[in-house]
mmCIF file of all heavy atoms in Angstrom:
data_model
loop_
_atom_site.group_PDB
_atom_site.id
_atom_site.type_symbol
_atom_site.label_atom_id
_atom_site.label_comp_id
_atom_site.label_asym_id
_atom_site.label_seq_id
_atom_site.Cartn_x
_atom_site.Cartn_y
_atom_site.Cartn_z
ATOM 1 N N GLU A 323 55.111 -56.529 -4.152
ATOM 2 C CA GLU A 323 55.317 -55.194 -3.583
ATOM 3 C C GLU A 323 53.998 -54.432 -3.504
ATOM 4 O O GLU A 323 53.706 -53.764 -2.500
ATOM 5 C CB GLU A 323 56.338 -54.418 -4.424
ATOM 6 C CG GLU A 323 57.769 -54.907 -4.260
ATOM 7 C CD GLU A 323 58.738 -54.190 -5.178
ATOM 8 O OE1 GLU A 323 58.255 -53.592 -6.178
ATOM 9 O OE2 GLU A 323 59.949 -54.212 -4.911
ATOM 10 N N ARG A 324 53.199 -54.525 -4.571
ATOM 11 C CA ARG A 324 51.901 -53.845 -4.552
ATOM 12 C C ARG A 324 50.971 -54.460 -3.516
ATOM 13 O O ARG A 324 50.231 -53.757 -2.823
ATOM 14 C CB ARG A 324 51.263 -53.893 -5.943
ATOM 15 C CG ARG A 324 51.906 -52.917 -6.933
ATOM 16 C CD ARG A 324 51.242 -52.942 -8.289
ATOM 17 N NE ARG A 324 51.679 -54.079 -9.083
ATOM 18 C CZ ARG A 324 50.865 -54.974 -9.623
ATOM 19 N NH1 ARG A 324 49.570 -54.871 -9.444
ATOM 20 N NH2 ARG A 324 51.349 -55.956 -10.356
ATOM 21 N N ALA A 325 51.023 -55.800 -3.397
ATOM 22 C CA ALA A 325 50.186 -56.477 -2.409
ATOM 23 C C ALA A 325 50.607 -56.104 -0.989
ATOM 24 O O ALA A 325 49.761 -55.922 -0.106
ATOM 25 C CB ALA A 325 50.262 -57.988 -2.605
ATOM 26 N N GLN A 326 51.920 -55.975 -0.764
ATOM 27 C CA GLN A 326 52.407 -55.602 0.560
ATOM 28 C C GLN A 326 51.956 -54.193 0.935
ATOM 29 O O GLN A 326 51.502 -53.944 2.055
ATOM 30 C CB GLN A 326 53.935 -55.690 0.602
ATOM 31 C CG GLN A 326 54.546 -55.356 1.961
ATOM 32 C CD GLN A 326 54.180 -56.362 3.024
ATOM 33 O OE1 GLN A 326 54.274 -57.561 2.804
ATOM 34 N NE2 GLN A 326 53.749 -55.880 4.175
ATOM 35 N N ALA A 327 52.069 -53.270 -0.015
ATOM 36 C CA ALA A 327 51.643 -51.895 0.248
ATOM 37 C C ALA A 327 50.151 -51.836 0.540
ATOM 38 O O ALA A 327 49.714 -51.157 1.483
ATOM 39 C CB ALA A 327 51.998 -51.006 -0.945
ATOM 40 N N ALA A 328 49.358 -52.549 -0.247
ATOM 41 C CA ALA A 328 47.910 -52.554 -0.030
ATOM 42 C C ALA A 328 47.560 -53.200 1.306
ATOM 43 O O ALA A 328 46.666 -52.730 2.017
ATOM 44 C CB ALA A 328 47.217 -53.290 -1.175
ATOM 45 N N PHE A 329 48.261 -54.278 1.662
ATOM 46 C CA PHE A 329 47.988 -54.976 2.915
ATOM 47 C C PHE A 329 48.243 -54.071 4.119
ATOM 48 O O PHE A 329 47.452 -54.033 5.070
ATOM 49 C CB PHE A 329 48.863 -56.229 2.993
ATOM 50 C CG PHE A 329 48.601 -57.099 4.192
ATOM 51 C CD1 PHE A 329 47.306 -57.351 4.626
ATOM 52 C CD2 PHE A 329 49.655 -57.674 4.885
ATOM 53 C CE1 PHE A 329 47.061 -58.159 5.728
ATOM 54 C CE2 PHE A 329 49.427 -58.480 5.982
ATOM 55 C CZ PHE A 329 48.123 -58.725 6.409
ATOM 56 N N GLU A 330 49.331 -53.314 4.079
ATOM 57 C CA GLU A 330 49.645 -52.426 5.189
ATOM 58 C C GLU A 330 48.585 -51.334 5.340
ATOM 59 O O GLU A 330 48.182 -50.989 6.458
ATOM 60 C CB GLU A 330 51.034 -51.805 4.975
ATOM 61 C CG GLU A 330 52.167 -52.816 5.115
ATOM 62 C CD GLU A 330 53.515 -52.224 4.780
ATOM 63 O OE1 GLU A 330 53.553 -51.036 4.381
ATOM 64 O OE2 GLU A 330 54.530 -52.938 4.912
ATOM 65 N N VAL A 331 48.137 -50.788 4.216
ATOM 66 C CA VAL A 331 47.098 -49.753 4.276
ATOM 67 C C VAL A 331 45.792 -50.339 4.790
ATOM 68 O O VAL A 331 45.126 -49.757 5.663
ATOM 69 C CB VAL A 331 46.899 -49.120 2.883
ATOM 70 C CG1 VAL A 331 45.693 -48.186 2.894
ATOM 71 C CG2 VAL A 331 48.149 -48.363 2.458
ATOM 72 N N GLN A 332 45.402 -51.493 4.283
ATOM 73 C CA GLN A 332 44.139 -52.107 4.693
ATOM 74 C C GLN A 332 44.138 -52.460 6.172
ATOM 75 O O GLN A 332 43.127 -52.276 6.860
ATOM 76 C CB GLN A 332 43.870 -53.336 3.833
ATOM 77 C CG GLN A 332 43.527 -53.011 2.394
ATOM 78 C CD GLN A 332 43.552 -54.223 1.489
ATOM 79 O OE1 GLN A 332 43.855 -55.339 1.922
ATOM 80 N NE2 GLN A 332 43.260 -54.012 0.214
ATOM 81 N N ARG A 333 45.251 -52.977 6.667
ATOM 82 C CA ARG A 333 45.330 -53.295 8.095
ATOM 83 C C ARG A 333 45.139 -52.035 8.937
ATOM 84 O O ARG A 333 44.442 -52.045 9.953
ATOM 85 C CB ARG A 333 46.667 -53.953 8.435
ATOM 86 C CG ARG A 333 46.809 -55.375 7.940
ATOM 87 C CD ARG A 333 48.132 -55.984 8.401
ATOM 88 N NE ARG A 333 48.175 -56.108 9.850
ATOM 89 C CZ ARG A 333 49.139 -55.642 10.615
ATOM 90 N NH1 ARG A 333 50.156 -54.976 10.086
ATOM 91 N NH2 ARG A 333 49.110 -55.815 11.923
ATOM 92 N N ALA A 334 45.771 -50.940 8.522
ATOM 93 C CA ALA A 334 45.647 -49.694 9.279
ATOM 94 C C ALA A 334 44.217 -49.159 9.230
ATOM 95 O O ALA A 334 43.690 -48.679 10.243
ATOM 96 C CB ALA A 334 46.628 -48.656 8.731
ATOM 97 N N TYR A 335 43.581 -49.237 8.069
ATOM 98 C CA TYR A 335 42.210 -48.748 7.937
ATOM 99 C C TYR A 335 41.230 -49.619 8.733
ATOM 100 O O TYR A 335 40.217 -49.132 9.233
ATOM 101 C CB TYR A 335 41.805 -48.713 6.467
ATOM 102 C CG TYR A 335 42.186 -47.441 5.747
ATOM 103 C CD1 TYR A 335 43.466 -46.916 5.864
ATOM 104 C CD2 TYR A 335 41.285 -46.772 4.942
ATOM 105 C CE1 TYR A 335 43.827 -45.762 5.206
ATOM 106 C CE2 TYR A 335 41.635 -45.600 4.273
ATOM 107 C CZ TYR A 335 42.901 -45.102 4.412
ATOM 108 O OH TYR A 335 43.258 -43.945 3.761
#
Side-chain angles (χ1 to χ4, degrees):
E323 287 176 341
R324 285 182 281 125
Q326 182 66 47
F329 184 42
E330 291 175 357
V331 172
Q332 290 168 359
R333 288 184 65 233
Y335 274 48

